[in-house]
Amino acid sequence: DLALSFWSFRSKSSINGETVRPAGRHLLPLQQVRLCWCSYVSTVFTSGFTPEVLGWRVHCKEGTGGHGAFSVEERGALMGSGERGKARHRDVVQSFLCIEGNVDPETNVIDTLFLVTGGLDHQVLVWDPRTLQFCFELKGHRGGVRSMSWDRSQGLLLTCGFEYDIKVWGLISRRIYFFFHLKGHRRPLVWVDCAAGNDRAVSLDDSGKLSCAHGAPATSSGCIDALVAASSPDDVLFVAPKSDHTNVTGGTDYRPAL
Protein backbone atom coordinates (compact mmCIF):
# COMPACT_ATOMS: atom_id res chain seq x y z
CA ASP A 1 0.00 0.00 0.00
CA LEU A 2 3.11 2.25 -0.26
CA ALA A 3 2.69 3.23 3.39
CA LEU A 4 5.23 3.62 6.16
CA SER A 5 3.26 2.95 9.36
CA PHE A 6 4.16 3.75 12.98
CA TRP A 7 2.86 2.18 16.17
CA SER A 8 2.98 3.42 19.74
CA PHE A 9 3.83 0.92 22.50
CA ARG A 10 3.36 1.75 26.16
CA SER A 11 5.13 -0.11 28.97
CA LYS A 12 3.91 -3.67 29.58
CA SER A 13 2.03 -3.51 26.31
CA SER A 14 0.30 -6.50 24.80
CA ILE A 15 0.06 -7.05 21.06
CA ASN A 16 -3.65 -7.67 21.51
CA GLY A 17 -4.26 -4.98 24.11
CA GLU A 18 -5.21 -1.33 23.98
CA THR A 19 -1.65 -0.26 24.81
CA VAL A 20 -0.61 -0.75 21.15
CA ARG A 21 -2.04 1.92 18.88
CA PRO A 22 -1.47 3.29 15.36
CA ALA A 23 0.63 6.45 15.65
CA GLY A 24 1.09 7.67 12.11
CA ARG A 25 1.15 6.72 8.45
CA HIS A 26 3.19 8.20 5.64
CA LEU A 27 2.65 7.40 1.96
CA LEU A 28 5.86 6.69 0.06
CA PRO A 29 6.42 7.57 -3.62
CA LEU A 30 7.83 4.09 -4.40
CA GLN A 31 7.22 0.59 -3.09
CA GLN A 32 9.71 -0.14 -0.29
CA VAL A 33 10.24 -3.66 1.08
CA ARG A 34 13.10 -3.31 3.62
CA LEU A 35 13.84 -0.90 6.42
CA CYS A 36 16.16 -0.24 9.33
CA TRP A 37 16.10 2.33 12.13
CA CYS A 38 18.95 4.65 13.14
CA SER A 39 18.04 6.13 16.51
CA TYR A 40 20.90 8.65 16.75
CA VAL A 41 19.63 10.61 13.72
CA SER A 42 15.94 9.60 14.17
CA THR A 43 15.86 8.23 10.64
CA VAL A 44 14.24 5.23 9.00
CA PHE A 45 16.13 3.95 5.95
CA THR A 46 14.18 2.03 3.32
CA SER A 47 14.83 0.28 0.01
CA GLY A 48 12.73 -1.34 -2.68
CA PHE A 49 13.48 -2.97 -6.00
CA THR A 50 16.00 -0.33 -7.09
CA PRO A 51 19.63 0.47 -6.17
CA GLU A 52 18.52 3.42 -4.04
CA VAL A 53 18.29 3.60 -0.24
CA LEU A 54 16.06 6.42 1.02
CA GLY A 55 16.18 8.21 4.37
CA TRP A 56 13.10 9.45 6.26
CA ARG A 57 13.49 11.58 9.37
CA VAL A 58 10.89 10.77 12.02
CA HIS A 59 9.46 13.42 14.34
CA CYS A 60 7.65 12.30 17.46
CA LYS A 61 5.33 14.31 19.68
CA GLU A 62 3.16 13.45 22.63
CA GLY A 63 -0.25 12.14 21.62
CA THR A 64 -3.38 11.26 23.50
CA GLY A 65 -3.24 8.85 26.42
CA GLY A 66 0.53 9.00 26.66
CA HIS A 67 1.01 7.54 23.19
CA GLY A 68 3.33 9.12 20.66
CA ALA A 69 2.28 10.65 17.35
CA PHE A 70 4.72 10.53 14.44
CA SER A 71 5.34 12.56 11.31
CA VAL A 72 7.89 11.97 8.53
CA GLU A 73 10.22 14.25 6.60
CA GLU A 74 11.99 12.99 3.50
CA ARG A 75 15.80 13.27 3.64
CA GLY A 76 16.53 11.89 0.19
CA ALA A 77 18.73 9.09 -1.12
CA LEU A 78 22.25 8.10 -0.12
CA MET A 79 24.76 10.21 -2.04
CA GLY A 80 28.05 8.81 -3.32
CA SER A 81 31.28 10.76 -3.27
CA GLY A 82 34.91 10.28 -2.31
CA GLU A 83 38.20 9.18 -3.79
CA ARG A 84 36.68 7.11 -6.61
CA GLY A 85 34.25 9.85 -7.54
CA LYS A 86 30.60 8.89 -7.34
CA ALA A 87 30.07 5.67 -5.37
CA ARG A 88 26.67 4.02 -5.68
CA HIS A 89 24.96 0.69 -6.01
CA ARG A 90 24.26 -0.46 -9.56
CA ASP A 91 21.78 -3.18 -8.69
CA VAL A 92 19.10 -3.84 -6.07
CA VAL A 93 20.12 -3.31 -2.43
CA GLN A 94 19.20 -6.56 -0.66
CA SER A 95 20.34 -5.79 2.89
CA PHE A 96 21.40 -2.88 5.06
CA LEU A 97 21.87 -2.10 8.73
CA CYS A 98 22.93 0.69 11.06
CA ILE A 99 25.97 0.41 13.33
CA GLU A 100 25.57 2.68 16.36
CA GLY A 101 28.32 3.01 18.96
CA ASN A 102 28.31 4.58 22.41
CA VAL A 103 26.97 8.08 23.03
CA ASP A 104 28.73 10.41 25.47
CA PRO A 105 26.02 11.42 27.99
CA GLU A 106 27.55 14.88 28.49
CA THR A 107 28.23 15.91 24.89
CA ASN A 108 25.70 13.63 23.15
CA VAL A 109 28.45 12.75 20.65
CA ILE A 110 28.49 9.20 19.29
CA ASP A 111 31.84 7.44 18.81
CA THR A 112 30.80 5.28 15.83
CA LEU A 113 27.92 5.68 13.39
CA PHE A 114 27.67 3.86 10.05
CA LEU A 115 25.01 2.68 7.64
CA VAL A 116 26.17 -0.44 5.76
CA THR A 117 24.44 -1.48 2.52
CA GLY A 118 24.87 -4.66 0.48
CA GLY A 119 23.61 -5.17 -3.06
CA LEU A 120 23.32 -7.63 -5.91
CA ASP A 121 26.16 -5.69 -7.58
CA HIS A 122 28.66 -7.46 -5.22
CA GLN A 123 29.25 -4.21 -3.32
CA VAL A 124 29.20 -3.52 0.41
CA LEU A 125 29.22 0.25 0.92
CA VAL A 126 29.52 2.19 4.17
CA TRP A 127 27.77 5.55 4.64
CA ASP A 128 27.40 8.33 7.23
CA PRO A 129 23.72 8.40 8.33
CA ARG A 130 24.09 12.04 9.43
CA THR A 131 25.04 13.38 6.00
CA LEU A 132 23.97 10.46 3.74
CA GLN A 133 27.49 10.64 2.25
CA PHE A 134 29.65 7.69 1.16
CA CYS A 135 32.51 6.78 3.54
CA PHE A 136 34.29 3.68 2.19
CA GLU A 137 33.77 0.27 0.56
CA LEU A 138 34.24 -3.21 2.03
CA LYS A 139 35.83 -5.11 -0.85
CA GLY A 140 35.96 -8.85 -1.37
CA HIS A 141 32.53 -10.18 -2.34
CA ARG A 142 32.45 -11.91 -5.74
CA GLY A 143 28.68 -12.41 -5.69
CA GLY A 144 25.57 -10.49 -4.72
CA VAL A 145 25.14 -9.68 -1.03
CA ARG A 146 21.84 -10.89 0.42
CA SER A 147 22.15 -10.57 4.21
CA MET A 148 24.17 -8.85 6.92
CA SER A 149 24.20 -8.90 10.72
CA TRP A 150 25.99 -6.81 13.35
CA ASP A 151 27.22 -8.21 16.67
CA ARG A 152 27.60 -5.16 18.90
CA SER A 153 29.17 -7.07 21.80
CA GLN A 154 31.98 -8.46 19.63
CA GLY A 155 32.24 -5.53 17.21
CA LEU A 156 31.78 -7.93 14.27
CA LEU A 157 29.92 -7.49 10.99
CA LEU A 158 28.84 -10.62 9.08
CA THR A 159 27.97 -10.47 5.37
CA CYS A 160 26.86 -13.22 2.98
CA GLY A 161 25.09 -13.88 -0.28
CA PHE A 162 25.56 -15.86 -3.48
CA GLU A 163 28.94 -17.15 -2.32
CA TYR A 164 29.20 -20.25 -0.12
CA ASP A 165 30.89 -18.67 2.89
CA ILE A 166 30.31 -15.81 5.33
CA LYS A 167 32.68 -12.88 5.51
CA VAL A 168 33.47 -11.62 9.01
CA TRP A 169 34.60 -8.00 9.46
CA GLY A 170 35.80 -6.22 12.58
CA LEU A 171 35.31 -2.63 13.72
CA ILE A 172 38.62 -1.07 14.84
CA SER A 173 39.13 2.66 15.45
CA ARG A 174 36.12 3.72 13.38
CA ARG A 175 37.15 1.58 10.42
CA ILE A 176 35.92 -1.84 9.33
CA TYR A 177 38.49 -4.49 8.36
CA PHE A 178 38.12 -7.98 6.94
CA PHE A 179 38.95 -10.70 9.51
CA PHE A 180 38.17 -14.19 8.14
CA HIS A 181 35.66 -16.48 6.42
CA LEU A 182 33.17 -18.87 8.00
CA LYS A 183 32.95 -21.93 5.76
CA GLY A 184 30.71 -24.98 5.68
CA HIS A 185 27.90 -24.29 3.23
CA ARG A 186 27.85 -25.78 -0.26
CA ARG A 187 25.05 -23.62 -1.61
CA PRO A 188 24.54 -19.83 -1.90
CA LEU A 189 23.53 -18.22 1.39
CA VAL A 190 20.27 -16.36 1.94
CA TRP A 191 20.53 -15.28 5.59
CA VAL A 192 22.91 -14.76 8.51
CA ASP A 193 22.12 -13.52 12.01
CA CYS A 194 24.18 -13.03 15.16
CA ALA A 195 23.16 -14.11 18.65
CA ALA A 196 24.56 -11.05 20.39
CA GLY A 197 26.60 -11.80 23.49
CA ASN A 198 26.63 -15.56 22.86
CA ASP A 199 29.59 -15.89 20.43
CA ARG A 200 27.27 -17.59 17.97
CA ALA A 201 25.77 -16.92 14.55
CA VAL A 202 23.17 -18.80 12.52
CA SER A 203 23.16 -19.00 8.73
CA LEU A 204 20.81 -20.45 6.10
CA ASP A 205 21.47 -21.39 2.47
CA ASP A 206 19.06 -21.79 -0.42
CA SER A 207 18.89 -25.58 -0.01
CA GLY A 208 17.38 -25.19 3.47
CA LYS A 209 20.57 -26.05 5.37
CA LEU A 210 20.73 -24.23 8.70
CA SER A 211 24.17 -23.91 10.32
CA CYS A 212 25.56 -22.50 13.53
CA ALA A 213 28.96 -20.85 13.88
CA HIS A 214 30.33 -20.71 17.40
CA GLY A 215 33.50 -20.26 19.40
CA ALA A 216 35.63 -17.16 19.93
CA PRO A 217 35.49 -15.28 16.60
CA ALA A 218 38.01 -12.64 17.66
CA THR A 219 40.82 -15.19 18.03
CA SER A 220 39.99 -18.06 15.70
CA SER A 221 38.30 -18.79 12.39
CA GLY A 222 35.43 -20.52 14.19
CA CYS A 223 33.55 -23.47 12.71
CA ILE A 224 30.15 -24.33 11.32
CA ASP A 225 28.13 -27.38 12.36
CA ALA A 226 25.40 -28.51 10.00
CA LEU A 227 22.11 -28.84 11.82
CA VAL A 228 19.48 -29.75 9.27
CA ALA A 229 18.61 -29.88 5.60
CA ALA A 230 14.91 -29.06 5.67
CA SER A 231 12.78 -31.63 3.89
CA SER A 232 10.44 -28.92 2.62
CA PRO A 233 10.22 -25.12 2.84
CA ASP A 234 7.59 -25.46 5.57
CA ASP A 235 9.75 -27.58 7.87
CA VAL A 236 11.69 -25.91 10.66
CA LEU A 237 14.08 -27.65 13.04
CA PHE A 238 14.07 -26.65 16.69
CA VAL A 239 17.68 -26.11 17.77
CA ALA A 240 18.90 -26.31 21.39
CA PRO A 241 22.61 -25.33 21.73
CA LYS A 242 24.62 -27.00 24.50
CA SER A 243 25.96 -24.79 27.26
CA ASP A 244 29.61 -25.71 26.60
CA HIS A 245 29.54 -23.94 23.22
CA THR A 246 31.34 -26.88 21.56
CA ASN A 247 28.41 -28.61 19.91
CA VAL A 248 24.76 -28.19 19.04
CA THR A 249 21.86 -30.60 19.15
CA GLY A 250 18.61 -30.68 17.28
CA GLY A 251 15.15 -31.51 18.54
CA THR A 252 12.20 -32.73 16.52
CA ASP A 253 10.88 -31.20 13.33
CA TYR A 254 8.33 -28.53 13.99
CA ARG A 255 5.75 -27.44 11.45
CA PRO A 256 4.30 -24.00 12.30
CA ALA A 257 0.55 -23.64 12.37
CA LEU A 258 -0.87 -21.76 9.37
Side-chain angles (χ1 to χ4, degrees), residues 91-150:
D91 206 335
V92 176
V93 174
Q94 286 280 87
S95 182
F96 52 97
L97 55 81
C98 190
I99 296 176
E100 298 188 73
N102 299 313
V103 179
D104 189 311
E106 296 183 0
T107 63
N108 197 38
V109 175
I110 195 167
D111 58 9
T112 303
L113 185 64
F114 291 128
L115 179 72
V116 186
T117 60
L120 296 182
D121 54 2
H122 310 181
Q123 292 191 105
V124 177
L125 304 180
V126 182
W127 312 80
D128 186 340
R130 291 163 291 199
T131 63
L132 307 185
Q133 293 287 334
F134 171 73
C135 296
F136 51 89
E137 180 180 359
L138 304 182
K139 298 180 180 181
H141 276 283
R142 300 183 303 276
V145 180
R146 282 171 155 174
S147 179
M148 299 187 293
S149 184
W150 168 246

Side-chain angles (χ1 to χ4, degrees), residues 17-30:
E18 297 179 354
T19 51
V20 180
R21 297 181 184 177
R25 192 168 181 266
H26 181 80
L27 292 179
L28 304 175
L30 298 171

Side-chain angles (χ1 to χ4, degrees), residues 87-220:
R88 62 181 178 86
H89 284 286
R90 295 170 178 81
D91 206 335
V92 176
V93 174
Q94 286 280 87
S95 182
F96 52 97
L97 55 81
C98 190
I99 296 176
E100 298 188 73
N102 299 313
V103 179
D104 189 311
E106 296 183 0
T107 63
N108 197 38
V109 175
I110 195 167
D111 58 9
T112 303
L113 185 64
F114 291 128
L115 179 72
V116 186
T117 60
L120 296 182
D121 54 2
H122 310 181
Q123 292 191 105
V124 177
L125 304 180
V126 182
W127 312 80
D128 186 340
R130 291 163 291 199
T131 63
L132 307 185
Q133 293 287 334
F134 171 73
C135 296
F136 51 89
E137 180 180 359
L138 304 182
K139 298 180 180 181
H141 276 283
R142 300 183 303 276
V145 180
R146 282 171 155 174
S147 179
M148 299 187 293
S149 184
W150 168 246
D151 185 343
R152 178 185 175 94
S153 63
Q154 294 279 348
L156 297 178
L157 173 68
L158 278 60
T159 61
C160 70
F162 286 92
E163 299 158 74
Y164 297 175
D165 55 8
I166 301 166
K167 283 183 167 48
V168 181
W169 315 77
L171 176 65
I172 303 175
S173 299
R174 302 185 185 180
R175 294 286 295 189
I176 300 175
Y177 299 91
F178 174 73
F179 276 10
F180 52 84
H181 294 93
L182 289 174
K183 300 179 180 294
H185 286 280
R186 297 182 180 179
R187 295 282 302 175
L189 288 141
V190 297
W191 194 262
V192 64
D193 207 354
C194 296
N198 292 317
D199 299 341
R200 183 170 279 120
V202 176
S203 55
L204 179 71
D205 64 29
D206 64 7
S207 71
K209 175 182 174 182
L210 182 68
S211 297
C212 179
H214 56 82
T219 57
S220 69

